[in-house]
Each structure stands twice: as C-alpha cells, then as structure tokens.
Amino acid sequence: MATGTGSTYGARDHARAQEGTQVDTMPTLPAGAWPNPPAGVAPDRIVWAETVAGGNYTHKVIARGTELRLTDLAGDACAHVLLYADGRPWERLNAADTVKVLWNAYVGEGHLLLSDQGRVLASVVADTSSRHDALCGTSTAVRNTQRYGDGSPQGPSPAGRELLKLAALKNGLEPRDLPPSLSFFQGVRVVADGKLEFTGSAGPGASVTLRAEQPLTVLIANVPHPVDPRPDYVCTPLEVLAWRAAPTAPGDRLWDATPEGRRAFLNTDDHLAARGIQ
C-alpha cells in the first residue's frame, strides 16, 4: 500500500498539514492579520495584504475610496500596473491621457491616473520614490526571449505582458483588453536628444500610495523594467497593502490642484452619481 503522498489519503493529510503556514510571497488571509499595519490604519480596515515575488503577479477588485500602497522592499521591484473601472473594462487606464491632460509625463504625488473618458480612476496621494514611468509600458515575451532567453510566464524570466494576460483572464478580460501600463519604482527620463535615460530605483523601502476614485479592477506584474540595462533578470519583492478609506471630495487639495484635474473629478462624480455610487 502506498504511503505518504503516494496515496490519496496521504496526499490529503499532507495538504491539510500545511494549514496555517505562511510563505513570504503569498497573500495574508485574512488581510487584517497583516503584522505591520500602516500608522493610523486599524487592522479591520485592511482588505489586501500580499508580498509579490519578482517575476510574479497579483490582482484584486477594490472599492471606491480604497487606498493602495505599493512598497519596493529591497530596492529592485518594478510594479507594472493596470486599472479598470470594475465591471466596465472598456474604461481603463489611459497612459497617454494621464500625461497629456495633466501636462506632466512624470507620475508622482498629486498626479491623477485617468481613463480615456476624462474620468479619474485613481489619484497618487503619497510617493517617496519619484522613480516611475508612464512612457515605456511593460516587457514582452519576444523582447525577454531576446534579452534573457525566455519570456514565458512559467519560465525563469517572465515578461510583464504575459503575466498581465494571466491576471486579466482571471478577471474576465482578454489580451486585447491590455493597454500600456504604468511602471512604479523604476523610472526613465527623456534627455535633450529625445532618448530615454533609465533612472533606476530610489532604493529599498520607497512606496507609492494610490486612492481608488472608482471601484477598480487592479492588475499588477512585478518584473524588470523593459529598458533596464542590466544583463540579468533582476526583480525583488513588492509589498501590496490596501485599506478602506474615502475617495477624494470637493475641498481636498487634489480636487482643486489644477483646472484639468477638477474637471476630471467632476466628470467622475457625475458618472458615479448617475449609477448610484457615492
């Protein structure tokens, strides 16, 4: 008779014995059991707590007003982020409008992340990194295969687009639903001759906090930036932490920071009010 995991009963007993164990790069369940909640955030407000390994991805639907903090734990994370109005995937992050409407190609605190409907999907309420990118998008299987020898999602050097495809499929989305993403923690700058200069990371512990201004589907791939010049596939863990809060409201400094931003918030509130979302 087979013993250990060589039998159905043995495999079941082995699997059940793992209950209560925690791997560093898996979600904390319930999220409120996260050991280090942010200052001023009660554990029962935490709705998402996870560490995403380099070369991996995550996704979740979050409510309007939720604050989502991403942290570059060791200094070499790169979070490639896509946002969708939940249940309405045709309204999604538009990187071009995000930089065009707000007259700024370098995402940071106070920036609004816009859809092509002129509405705010999320706002950047805090940023200690300033090393972000709205110009390049994420890596592809073809490019990673050329650089590292493999770009498949299960291989040693997964491409960001391939991981975002997996996250998208788990939310009823298709590859054609993937627009260019924003990259957090590994930045680029446009230099005088028009070329892109890779600025790299701000170092370990840098974080950026987004506030969901609509109910959102969030997709995140943690992979090297596509113009990172290093020959090796370098990507370290990303901390993802979200908690219940309140959306931006009239009178908030973000609401009135620019005429374009104020109009985007008014567009957003008008749309949500008609749908009965406060």
Side-chain angles (χ1 to χ4, degrees), residues 127-142:
D127 179 23
T128 66
S129 170
S130 75
R131 304 291 182 90
H132 312 307
D133 171 36
L135 302 175
C136 297
T138 191
S139 54
T140 64
V142 170

Side-chain angles (χ1 to χ4, degrees), residues 1-13:
M1 180 177 177
T3 59
T5 57
S7 71
T8 302
Y9 291 121
R12 180 198 64 187
D13 293 342

Side-chain angles (χ1 to χ4, degrees), residues 106-170:
Y106 304 113
V107 174
E109 185 173 340
H111 215 111
L112 308 181
L113 309 184
L114 303 179
S115 74
D116 64 356
Q117 306 293 312
R119 295 191 279 259
V120 188
L121 294 173
S123 51
V124 182
V125 296
D127 179 23
T128 66
S129 170
S130 75
R131 304 291 182 90
H132 312 307
D133 171 36
L135 302 175
C136 297
T138 191
S139 54
T140 64
V142 170
R143 180 62 171 153
N144 273 30
T145 299
Q146 292 172 343
R147 292 191 65 187
Y148 309 116
D150 190 356
S152 63
Q154 289 80 30
S157 48
R161 182 168 171 81
E162 299 309 303
L163 296 180
L164 289 172
K165 284 181 184 177
L166 297 180
L169 289 170
K170 293 179 179 180

Side-chain angles (χ1 to χ4, degrees), residues 60-73:
K60 193 174 284 290
V61 176
I62 60 176
R64 170 166 154 84
T66 301
E67 294 192 357
L68 170 63
R69 189 184 74 187
L70 308 177
T71 302
D72 181 359
L73 294 174

